[in-house]
Amino acid sequence: MAEDRPPGLEDLDAELRFCTADGLAEAVRGARALLLWDFFSSAVADVWDRATDLEWIHITAAGVDTLLFDDLRASEVVVTNARGVFDRPLAEYVLGAVLAHAKDSRTSFDLQRRHEWRHRETRAITGATALVVGTGGIGRETARLLRAAGMVVRGAGRRAVAEDPDFGEIIDSATLSAHAGWCDHLILAAPLTPATRGLVDAAVLAAMKPDAHLVNIARGPMVDEAALLAALTEGEIGGATLDVFDTEPLPADHPLWDAPNVTITAHMSADVVGWRDVLAAQFAANARRWLAGEPLHNVVDKALGYVPGAAP
């Protein structure tokens, strides 16, 4: 449908074809570039044998895990992503989640629904500790915003760094279980790669403080959901704010919906008003570079699964 098409592409000096996943096999024939507007789609792998002229794929997401497959990695096709578009919205979501947990907003909402006046004390976030897993653009913007709010922040990435301008200290994420007990808020903001898949497992959850808060804005498979459900149910951690899941949409009968002290959102943490316009404008700018034979922005290292220089 026309209203589902990316806006603002009419001025590009190129033949434009629009299709759904069902029509991609035909539309990709002879195409040299592909905009993957539905960034959850896995349709590219299904039609790869017909994409013989393809030179460039742009995906309108920061994470490229849903796109990459072995034949694409091995090919000469360039992949670019939406790095930079979501940094601030995601950081704001995290700050909101931290504040809501500290101020016990879940209880306030429940009391309001019951028309019950109950005075109680909540926590300040000034001086609270946050460990941000992922030291790329999203993680760094999150760290800067949390620091501005008065929090103490550290990072976790591919390698340890003693002094970093945004995180202060960065620990090796492979040693996360040894550091998880330090933080009040454990925030996941890294791309999904073999190194981060299942990173937050039972050992990490067991190492966290009993009142600690987990925030996942990355990808669902970074967390062992069964272990998380057990930790929440048994009171091993204080709560979780979850925007991403192993299965999306989250099934209506999934036990996480009713787990204690959990806030669930529908993979919308970065989706602020106007976000589609920004994504389309970013692609159009890159397309003009491509048409002019200039180097593309946000080129993904397909072996690593992210843009080099944005260390996860």
Side-chain angles (χ1 to χ4, degrees), residues 97-98 101 106 184-187 208 211-215 238-241:
V98 166
H101 183 76
R106 297 185 197 91
D184 299 308
H185 303 270
L186 179 59
I187 297 154
M208 293 173 66
D211 58 354
H213 173 221
L214 175 70
V215 181
T241 302

Side-chain angles (χ1 to χ4, degrees), residues 133-312:
V133 181
T135 58
I138 293 168
R140 289 184 179 278
E141 186 67 17
T142 299
R144 288 191 288 265
L145 192 56
L146 296 182
R147 282 182 179 275
M151 298 183 67
V152 179
V153 182
R154 293 178 185 170
R158 287 183 297 127
R159 55 184 177 271
V161 178
E163 296 183 8
D164 181 89
D166 295 315
F167 296 99
E169 177 187 359
I170 297 175
I171 61 108
D172 184 342
S173 58
T175 65
L176 186 59
S177 61
H179 296 271
W182 170 81
C183 63
D184 299 308
H185 303 270
L186 179 59
I187 297 154
L188 307 183
L192 182 63
T193 67
T196 61
R197 184 178 293 273
L199 180 65
V200 178
D201 56 12
V204 170
L205 293 163
M208 293 173 66
K209 298 177 181 179
D211 58 354
H213 173 221
L214 175 70
V215 181
N216 191 1
I217 58 166
R219 288 290 187 265
M222 284 187 64
V223 178
D224 180 334
E225 284 188 355
L228 174 61
L229 182 62
L232 290 162
T233 303
E234 296 167 15
E236 294 179 356
I237 66 172
T241 302
L242 307 173
D243 187 55
V244 289
F245 303 89
D246 281 346
T247 301
E248 296 182 8
L250 187 67
D253 60 351
H254 198 289
L256 275 174
W257 285 107
D258 298 310
N261 298 321
V262 172
T263 297
I264 287 174
T265 54
H267 202 143
M268 53 182 278
S269 52
D271 300 349
V272 297
V273 174
W275 66 292
R276 291 179 178 84
D277 293 333
V278 177
L279 287 173
Q282 183 190 53
F283 167 73
N286 229 6
R288 292 186 183 95
R289 297 181 65 84
W290 180 71
L291 290 167
E294 299 173 0
L296 291 169
H297 290 156
N298 291 357
V299 175
V300 172
D301 183 317
K302 293 181 291 182
L304 294 175
Y306 50 86
V307 178

